[in-house]
């Protein structure tokens, strides 16, 4: 049986060439990067080389790159750090209803600390309205946090326009760019982004790796307190191998963005069209064009998403019935509900996120399996 992994939105495997670069720092180059002898300096140099690579990929200064344990930490740091450091200036934050739980739960926490949060709605395609964003701003607004692209439906927000609004109103702009990295070019300066979160394990680096870009001069409090690592702003003995791994992954994924994504987009559209043409009552969730090149999300009437995922798993195909962070929860996806789907339709959904390795013949195979399983489920629920 062929096994096909279609859940790169949840995670990716560790690429051999990334592991190879990490290996010395997992074995013989084990020095503490804070030690002043040669073994320590080798670790320090490896971290700084990686920081330079990441800064080049994002077109920013290396002093603006901070290594974290993942995007959950990056998002927590961005929101709590800005809130704490700027509360005398204002206590209002704007975000959206479709953010990742690491943003939404952090906002809930900040609400308990006395901050006021506005959760912007989205339209049927998952886009926020720039007019509504503008109207939500008050003289107390200190931060706007809008994800670059959504992890469930792939919709890409108008980031440049949001950045302009933030800049004009002197409000910090944070974006969670976990899913966008490597799919669309990211220009932190051009888009007026002050803080940007990234995760390594969606781009073939190890799990437990992340980045927070913090524009120089931003007023931000630490999330973690301790020693002087990461300029004293994110202390803790550095995981050198992880820093090297995510640096290599970011430099690989930000090369040839156009050509790599063109191929995936063509195959994605082939599968979307086949589903639309041949499978009844199938609704594409997310924006038809302003969406990530690898993302497909369908609601399929009378087909429970969890059941479909489990049956496809038996056939060797990995898809997701929601985002990996929420698929264990019994509740329908907050993202699909925000698009206006009914609770039932929201549970009748699957997300397919294609990998770079996907081939044309695999698309045909996936479609055939999908179509058979959907027919069977529908017959059995009649
Ligand atoms: N934001 C988005 C959009 C994500 O998809 C994820 C991972 N599911 C995260 C944040 C959290 O990243 P990590 O797993 O590195 O904590």
């Amino acid at each position: 049986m062929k096994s096909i992994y279609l859940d790169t939105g949840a995670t990716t495997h560790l690429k051999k060439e990334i592991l190879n670069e990490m290996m010395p720092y997992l074995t013989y180059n084990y020095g503490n990067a804070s030690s002043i002898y040669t073994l320590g300096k080798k670790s320090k140099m490896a971290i700084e080389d990686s920081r330079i690579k990441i800064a080049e990929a994002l077109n920013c200064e290396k002093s603006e790159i901070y290594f974290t344990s993942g995007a959950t930490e990056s998002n927590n740091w961005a929101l709590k750090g800005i809130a704490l450091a700027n509360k005398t200036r204002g206590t209002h934050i704007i975000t959206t209803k479709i953010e990742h739980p690491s943003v939404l739960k952090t906002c809930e926490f900040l609400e308990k600390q006395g901050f006021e949060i506005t959760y912007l709605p989205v339209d049927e395609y998952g886009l926020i309205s720039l007019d509504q964003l503008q109207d939500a701003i008050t003289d107390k607004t200190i931060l706007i946090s809008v994800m670059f692209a959504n992890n469930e439906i792939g919709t890409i927000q108008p980031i440049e326009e949001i950045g302009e609004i933030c800049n004009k109103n002197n409000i910090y702009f944070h974006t969670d760019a976990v899913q966008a990295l490597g799919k669309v070019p990211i220009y932190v300066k051009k888009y007026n982004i002050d803080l940007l979160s990234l995760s390594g394990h969606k781009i073939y680096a190890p799990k437990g790796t992340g980045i927070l870009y913090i524009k120089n001069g931003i007023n931000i409090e630490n999330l973690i307190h301790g020693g002087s690592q990461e300029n004293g702003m994110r202390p803790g003995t550095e995981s050198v191998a992880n820093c090297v791994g995510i640096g290599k992954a970011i430099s690989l994924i930000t090369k040839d963005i156009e050509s790599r994504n063109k191929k995936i987009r063509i195959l994605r559209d082939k599968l979307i069209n086949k589903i639309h043409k041949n499978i009844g009552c199938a609704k594409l969730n997310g924006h038809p064009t302003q969406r990530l090149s690898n993302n497909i999300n369908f609601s399929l009437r009378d087909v429970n998403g969890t059941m479909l995922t489990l049956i496809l798993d038996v056939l060797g195909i990995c898809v997701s019935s929601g985002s990996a962070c929420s698929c264990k929860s019994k509740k329908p996806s907050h993202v699909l509900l925000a698009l206006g789907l009914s609770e039932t339709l929201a549970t009748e959904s699957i997300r397919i996120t294609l990998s770079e390795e996907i081939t044309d013949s695999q698309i045909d195979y996936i479609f055939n399996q999908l179509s058979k399983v959907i027919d069977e489920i529908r017959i059995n629920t009649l």
Side-chain angles (χ1 to χ4, degrees):
M1 183 177 66
K2 286 189 236 172
S3 173
I4 305 180
Y5 185 75
L6 302 171
D7 203 14
T8 55
T11 198
T12 55
H13 66 87
L14 175 58
K15 264 194 183 161
K16 194 79 202 298
E17 58 186 312
I18 295 174
L19 177 64
N20 287 345
E21 294 231 352
M22 294 170 62
M23 275 315 270
Y25 306 97
L26 290 167
T27 52
Y28 54 89
N29 274 343
Y30 54 82
N32 186 319
S34 300
S35 302
I36 57 169
Y37 43 78
T38 309
L39 199 61
K41 279 193 207 152
K42 279 188 186 166
S43 294
K44 180 80 184 151
M45 269 170 57
I47 294 172
E48 294 317 310
D49 282 350
S50 178
R51 205 188 307 278
I52 290 169
K53 275 189 202 153
I54 298 167
E56 277 170 5
L58 296 181
N59 293 300
C60 65
E61 302 294 321
K62 69 181 174 67
S63 56
E64 296 175 314
I65 300 298
Y66 293 86
F67 293 100
T68 67
S69 65
T72 296
E73 181 189 328
S74 302
N75 285 341
N76 269 265
W77 185 9
L79 272 78
K80 291 175 189 166
I82 290 293
L84 274 179
N86 296 278
K87 62 175 183 240
T88 51
R89 193 155 74 86
T91 52
H92 179 228
I93 294 170
I94 301 172
T95 188
T96 81
K97 287 189 177 172
I98 62 164
E99 297 297 311
H100 187 265
S102 55
V103 167
L104 292 177
K105 295 279 175 188
T106 303
C107 286
E108 277 174 31
F109 168 79
L110 288 171
E111 275 177 314
K112 287 190 204 133
Q113 313 304 310
F115 289 87
E116 191 200 332
I117 318 282
T118 300
Y119 299 91
L120 293 174
V122 291
D123 67 12
E124 61 179 310
Y125 301 117
L127 285 174
I128 64 156
S129 143
L130 293 173
D131 288 340
Q132 279 179 347
L133 173 64
Q134 185 70 60
D135 290 348
I137 294 172
T138 71
D139 55 1
K140 290 207 178 102
T141 311
I142 50 171
L143 176 68
I144 292 176
S145 179
V146 177
M147 70 200 319
F148 210 120
N150 184 267
N151 46 313
E152 293 187 37
I153 54 170
T155 299
I156 302 168
Q157 299 295 339
I159 291 299
E160 189 166 7
E161 289 82 350
I162 298 169
E164 248 172 58
I165 292 175
C166 292
N167 193 33
K168 265 193 210 140
N169 290 279
N170 202 19
I171 296 167
Y172 288 139
F173 178 29
H174 166 248
T175 185
D176 172 347
V178 166
Q179 300 285 342
L181 183 65
K183 315 278 183 342
V184 288
I186 294 176
Y187 305 106
V188 283
K189 303 289 169 192
K190 185 173 162 206
Y191 298 167
N192 287 302
I193 296 168
D194 296 303
L195 304 119
L196 176 129
S197 304
L198 299 175
S199 174
H201 71 98
K202 316 282 183 181
I203 54 161
Y204 306 96
K207 291 161 188 61
T209 58
I211 295 293
L212 184 62
Y213 157 82
I214 307 177
K215 188 176 162 185
N216 281 335
I218 295 293
N219 189 19
I220 185 164
E221 183 51 85
N222 283 18
L223 185 66
I224 297 170
H225 298 87
S228 59
Q229 296 93 347
E230 297 293 286
N231 208 16
M233 286 169 68
R234 202 286 186 177
T237 303
E238 298 92 336
S239 172
V240 186
N242 277 349
C243 296
V244 168
I246 192 169
K248 177 75 179 170
I250 290 178
S251 61
L252 287 175
I253 207 86
T254 49
K255 283 200 184 95
D256 308 321
I257 289 189
E258 268 315 305
S259 55
R260 240 181 331 104
N261 283 284
K262 194 174 165 199
K263 179 204 145 194
I264 304 172
R265 194 176 298 113
I266 290 169
L267 293 177
R268 176 201 69 184
D269 289 345
K270 177 174 171 181
L271 186 52
I272 289 178
N273 290 336
K274 268 176 168 277
I275 294 174
H276 260 149
K277 269 196 202 136
N278 301 293
I279 298 179
C281 298
K283 177 191 177 329
L284 181 71
N285 296 314
H287 199 280
T289 53
Q290 242 168 279
R291 77 185 295 137
L292 294 175
S293 57
N294 69 335
N295 176 288
I296 300 174
N297 187 313
F298 266 102
S299 285
L300 302 148
R301 176 121 44 92
D302 298 331
V303 180
N304 179 275
T306 308
M307 192 192 286
L308 179 58
T309 304
L310 294 174
I311 298 175
L312 288 172
D313 178 40
V314 175
L315 299 170
I317 298 175
C318 300
V319 300
S320 163
S321 55
S323 73
C325 306
S326 56
C327 68
K328 277 200 189 132
S329 96
K330 297 247 169 2
K331 287 191 204 146
S333 145
H334 68 286
V335 176
L336 297 181
L337 292 180
L339 302 184
L341 266 65
S342 67
E343 292 215 354
T344 310
L345 205 53
T347 57
E348 296 174 333
S349 304
I350 57 156
R351 177 187 73 174
I352 294 172
T353 39
L354 304 176
S355 82
E356 289 179 14
E357 288 112 31
I358 195 80
T359 63
D360 192 68
S361 61
Q362 280 178 332
I363 292 288
D364 293 332
Y365 175 76
I366 295 157
F367 172 74
N368 290 336
Q369 297 294 327
L370 200 58
S371 156
K372 256 191 261 166
V373 175
I374 291 169
D375 278 352
E376 273 165 32
I377 295 177
R378 281 182 170 161
I379 287 167
N380 287 324
T381 48
L382 273 180

